[in-house]
Amino acid sequence: MSLSFANSTVVQSRARALVPLCVGAGVYLFFFFVGDTLLQDSDSFWQIKIGQWILDHGALPYTDLYSFTRTGEPWISTSWLSQVLFAFSYAQWGWAGPVILTATGMALTAAIFVYLLDAQIEVPHAVLFAMLALLLGLHHVLARPHILALPVMVAWVGLMMAAADRRSAPSWTWLPLMALWANLHGGFVLGLALIGPIALEAVEHAEKGQRLRLFMRWVLFGIGALIASCCTPYGWRTLMGATNILNLGELLTLIFEWMPANFATFTAFEGALLGLIALGYYRGIVLSAPRIFLILFLTWSALTHVRSIEAFAFLVPLVLAKPLGKTFARQTFARPQSDAGDVDRWPARTVTALGALMIVAAAWTSTSLYMGHHRFTFTMGQTPVAAADLIEKLGVKRVFNAYQFGGYLISRDIPVYVDGRAELYGEKFVMDFFKATEGKKPELLPRLLDAHKIDATILVADAPGPQILDQLKGWKRIYTDDIAVVHVREKADGATAK
């Protein structure tokens, strides 16, 4: 084997090592430059507010601090670490901070994803899957905690699948990933749920004499992961808090990210499902029972709740990586046994490290230059600035607010009737609110206003609620713009409440 071939192999190895970093840098720059689109969910406001409270007090919340309808009720923040990171970044750079943090989370996700796939399939295919996964998850890329947990999810599942492909058990050194995930976001319960079927995949293909021993190692790993998930300031209560949202029943069909997938119009998710079916038929991919279960489970989750589409997008390719690697045979080169190859090993690492530093430096330089002439702002439809100014001027204490305005009002230190923490308020409370303000049960609205001694309302301008209030005796519209409408309760003498 010639020396030139050996050098060519070394160059290929260096280039492949940099591919995940290049993909990550490209993803980071894309999401950073479209950063204003990441600031569209009012939940970002209360996430940052809670993070700042944690930083200011050096403690974590155990009760509600921001509503007047649930003041003092038990409530824990299962995303406390993400909230602290968002609050710190916001304090440093304004809205550019959460944008940078979100773009970094997506970059790490893409880089880890490509790195894991590269072990089984060709680099171009791995990059293509990454682009498709990003496209599918685009609707849910927002400056919120789930984005910071996304790279941890991909790494956790990818490493477990790699262990299953080797017919071995995961390393105990991976358990800190679960602990990190549990402190970042409540979605860690998915990582716990996937241990079982991935373990069955490993055990099914192990040698008969090794299956029981391997099974017990996976069981111990699962127990370790469960313990690791409780390594948070809240301990075992983190598990309970992370699953409370799933007990909201009918309410989940009204909150966009928890709605089932809608195929009334063609979507990227629909295209992905059809493509997955077509690929299976065309290539005749044969899968084991555990892999089939994993794909069906992830597909069912995505069909049930649109927020699970991102898990489908990034995890299904990891489940399919080994079978696809066999179907699309990759070209490999044997590393020549030569002195030149051994001598070149350290320089290759050095060049890779320098390349990585250059990529990071280029990304940060681009960030600094762009921040110098662009000011990131939150979507105006979620920020009723003028209406909130009027509410503060009036000095009213009990404000009946639109669901999507809750986060912004919390950021203004205005106690809210309801906000995005639906698990705190419960299914009936929030369902009654929606029915009353969306016109499904208009007779509920005056009952709620009286029951909670509401002084003023701030509702979405184009919703039925303001029109219902216009017809209610004792209520007066005092402000309207394209975003919000304010009504106040009139006193017996005709004066407005203050």
Side-chain angles (χ1 to χ4, degrees):
M1 191 172 293
S2 67
L3 184 60
S4 62
F5 181 80
N7 291 336
S8 174
T9 305
V10 171
V11 170
Q12 287 181 347
S13 175
R14 292 173 183 170
R16 282 182 54 188
L18 290 175
V19 168
L21 290 169
C22 290
V23 171
V27 170
Y28 169 82
L29 291 174
F30 171 78
F31 282 109
F32 178 74
F33 288 131
V34 299
D36 290 312
T37 65
L38 310 180
L39 306 174
Q40 301 184 60
D41 193 317
S42 66
D43 281 2
S44 299
F45 285 103
W46 65 259
Q47 302 278 8
I48 291 172
K49 189 72 173 180
I50 291 172
Q52 191 58 56
W53 187 91
I54 294 171
L55 289 172
D56 292 341
H57 293 80
L60 271 72
Y62 284 83
T63 59
D64 173 46
L65 303 169
Y66 301 108
S67 76
F68 63 85
T69 52
R70 289 292 186 271
T71 302
E73 293 270 338
W75 180 78
I76 63 172
S77 176
T78 55
S79 301
W80 75 271
L81 182 56
S82 294
Q83 290 160 348
V84 166
L85 293 173
F86 275 116
F88 179 80
S89 67
Y90 180 78
Q92 296 298 312
W93 301 293
W95 282 115
V99 167
I100 291 172
L101 209 55
T102 303
T104 301
M106 294 306 300
L108 288 173
T109 300
I112 294 170
F113 182 72
V114 171
Y115 176 81
L116 291 169
L117 284 184
D118 181 44
Q120 300 289 353
I121 63 178
E122 290 282 2
V123 167
H125 294 150
V127 174
L128 176 60
F129 275 119
M131 296 303 102
L132 291 174
L134 290 170
L135 177 62
L136 285 178
L138 203 58
H139 69 286
H140 203 217
V141 181
L142 301 163
R144 285 176 43 196
H146 68 280
I147 295 298
L148 303 189
L150 199 56
V152 182
M153 177 190 76
V154 172
W156 175 259
V157 176
L159 290 171
M160 286 200 300
M161 286 304 307
D165 291 338
R166 295 192 304 269
R167 303 173 189 177
S168 63
S171 169
W172 284 73
T173 59
W174 301 347
L175 292 179
L177 274 177
M178 175 53 68
L180 175 61
W181 193 355
N183 284 280
L184 287 170
H185 189 256
F188 71 91
V189 292
L190 173 65
L192 294 175
L194 294 180
I195 294 175
I198 296 177
L200 292 178
E201 169 66 18
V203 172
E204 179 179 318
H205 293 91
E207 296 181 5
K208 289 185 178 181
Q210 299 294 323
R211 287 179 181 175
L212 180 59
R213 181 172 177 271
L214 181 58
F215 176 74
M216 292 307 302
R217 289 177 63 191
W218 273 92
V219 169
L220 291 175
F221 178 80
I223 295 172
L226 184 63
I227 295 172
S229 71
C230 295
C231 293
T232 76
Y234 294 112
W236 64 269
R237 280 176 289 188
T238 302
L239 278 170
M240 300 297 295
T243 56
N244 281 343
I245 189 70
L246 299 177
N247 299 322
L248 294 178
E250 183 184 1
L251 176 57
L252 295 180
T253 64
L254 298 181
I255 303 174
F256 171 74
E257 62 183 335
W258 290 99
M259 289 181 179
N262 184 356
F263 295 139
T265 58
F266 188 81
T267 63
F269 177 49
E270 185 177 357
L273 287 177
L274 295 175
L276 185 63
I277 295 171
L279 179 64
Y281 277 118
Y282 181 69
R283 285 291 181 176
I285 300 175
V286 178
L287 302 176
S288 63
R291 287 185 197 264
I292 292 173
F293 174 82
L294 284 166
I295 292 173
L296 291 178
F297 173 74
L298 293 169
T299 303
W300 170 80
S301 298
L303 290 171
T304 305
H305 306 301
V306 294
R307 68 173 294 153
S308 298
I309 291 177
E310 64 199 30
F312 169 89
F314 284 104
L315 300 187
V316 166
L318 295 177
V319 175
L320 289 175
K322 186 173 182 180
L324 286 177
K326 293 179 179 179
T327 302
F328 301 100
R330 63 186 296 162
Q331 186 178 7
T332 58
F333 297 93
R335 182 68 183 260
Q337 299 296 321
S338 67
D339 293 340
D342 293 333
V343 171
D344 217 4
R345 188 173 299 164
W346 281 105
R349 294 177 182 175
T350 303
V351 170
T352 301
L354 289 174
L357 288 174
M358 291 175 65
I359 292 170
V360 172
W364 182 248
T365 301
S366 300
T367 299
S368 300
L369 291 173
Y370 191 65
M371 286 173 60
H373 62 82
H374 182 79
R375 183 173 178 270
F376 292 100
T377 56
F378 210 88
T379 302
M380 290 301 296
Q382 303 284 343
T383 53
V385 180
D389 289 342
L390 178 59
I391 290 293
E392 287 186 331
K393 183 179 179 181
L394 291 173
V396 294
K397 302 300 182 184
R398 301 172 79 85
V399 181
F400 186 85
N401 61 279
Y403 187 83
Q404 57 265 52
F405 292 162
Y408 177 70
L409 295 180
I410 286 175
S411 74
R412 295 279 298 263
D413 294 318
I414 299 175
V416 297
Y417 178 88
V418 69
D419 61 83
R421 298 169 297 162
E423 73 281 6
L424 168 66
Y425 299 96
E427 178 185 3
K428 185 181 185 307
F429 183 91
V430 185
M431 283 301 302
D432 285 347
F433 169 83
F434 277 124
K435 290 174 182 177
T437 56
E438 296 299 325
K440 295 180 179 178
K441 285 190 176 182
E443 67 276 9
L444 274 177
L445 186 53
R447 297 180 199 170
L448 297 179
L449 298 176
D450 292 340
H452 294 280
K453 300 178 180 178
I454 302 299
D455 301 315
T457 69
I458 175 171
L459 299 174
V460 178
D462 59 357
Q467 283 70 43
I468 299 172
L469 278 167
D470 288 337
Q471 307 303 316
L472 284 182
K473 184 179 179 180
W475 287 91
K476 180 181 179 181
R477 182 188 291 229
I478 63 169
Y479 179 81
T480 304
D481 61 22
D482 293 337
I483 300 172
V485 176
V486 176
H487 285 78
V488 293
R489 188 189 293 271
E490 291 184 310
K491 295 182 180 179
D493 58 2
T496 56
K498 290 186 179 181

